[in-house]
């Protein structure tokens, strides 16, 4: 997987977010800064939660922020945001959230490899806990981009 998918500039630790909207916006802003998306994609991620609810909170404390592929996506990309204080998304099963991973995909097929890596991390509680506690961007990149 290309290193461009998750550049160091798209990783932020202990971000301050007042609520889920701000947490998603931070994640989206990192996707914009890395060149993966435009601001419209960030707005679409927030709107998706407003319309569909907190389904993006797919595991305890973990939100996979995303929206549909669109012209706002320039290339497939990820962002990684740990929060200084967890925020509520409205998920009865998995709140509060302290880790938001932003995902942008050019089309429905281009993100399969990225999702496969994420699923592997989520399935291993020990690895996920280690990455949540990490403040080393290269450790995050190695776990999500490595072979």
């Amino acid at each position: 997987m290309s290193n461009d998918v998750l550049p160091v500039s798209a990783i932020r630790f202990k971000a301050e977010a007042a609520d889920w909207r701000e947490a998603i916006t931070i994640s989206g802003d990192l996707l914009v800064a890395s060149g993966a998306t435009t601001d419209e994609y960030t707005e679409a991620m927030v709107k998706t939660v407003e319309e569909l609810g907190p389904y993006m909170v797919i595991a305890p404390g973990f939100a996979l922020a995303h929206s549909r592929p669109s012209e706002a996506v320039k290339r497939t990309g990820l962002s990684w945001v740990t929060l200084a204080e967890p925020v509520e998304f409205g998920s009865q099963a998995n709140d509060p959230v302290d880790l938001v991973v932003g995902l942008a995909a050019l089309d429905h097929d281009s993100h399969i490899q990225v999702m496969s890596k994420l699923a592997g991390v989520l399935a291993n509680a020990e690895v996920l806990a280690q990455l949540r506690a990490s403040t080393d961007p290269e450790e995050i990149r190695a776990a999500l981009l490595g072979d």
Side-chain angles (χ1 to χ4, degrees):
M1 186 178 333
S2 169
N3 284 336
D4 292 346
V5 171
L6 180 62
V8 170
S9 64
I11 299 171
R12 189 164 165 195
F13 302 110
K14 304 293 182 189
E16 300 282 343
D19 56 29
W20 68 263
R21 284 181 178 83
E22 195 171 337
I24 288 177
T25 299
I26 293 167
S27 176
D29 287 349
L30 293 174
L31 289 170
V32 172
S34 73
T37 65
T38 66
D39 289 330
E40 287 74 25
Y41 189 75
T42 303
E43 294 166 13
M45 291 193 301
V46 171
K47 188 173 181 180
T48 298
V49 175
E50 289 173 346
E51 292 176 355
L52 303 176
Y55 79 94
M56 294 179 186
V57 185
I58 59 175
F62 179 84
L64 181 61
H66 63 279
S67 188
R68 295 176 184 211
S70 71
E71 292 181 9
V73 179
K74 298 177 182 175
R75 62 174 172 74
T76 296
L78 287 172
S79 64
W80 177 277
V81 180
T82 61
L83 300 174
E85 297 294 330
V87 298
E88 301 283 332
F89 272 65
S91 171
Q92 291 182 346
N94 296 317
D95 269 345
V97 169
D98 66 349
L99 173 61
V100 179
V101 173
L103 170 65
L106 277 175
D107 54 51
H108 290 291
D109 296 327
S110 67
H111 66 291
I112 297 300
Q113 190 176 14
V114 173
M115 291 299 295
S116 176
K117 279 288 189 184
L118 279 173
V121 168
L122 284 174
N124 187 328
E126 186 176 319
V127 171
L128 182 58
Q130 181 179 345
L131 294 177
R132 270 193 158 110
S134 177
T135 57
D136 179 1
E138 291 304 330
E139 183 178 21
I140 306 299
R141 288 168 39 85
L144 297 179
L145 304 177
D147 293 330

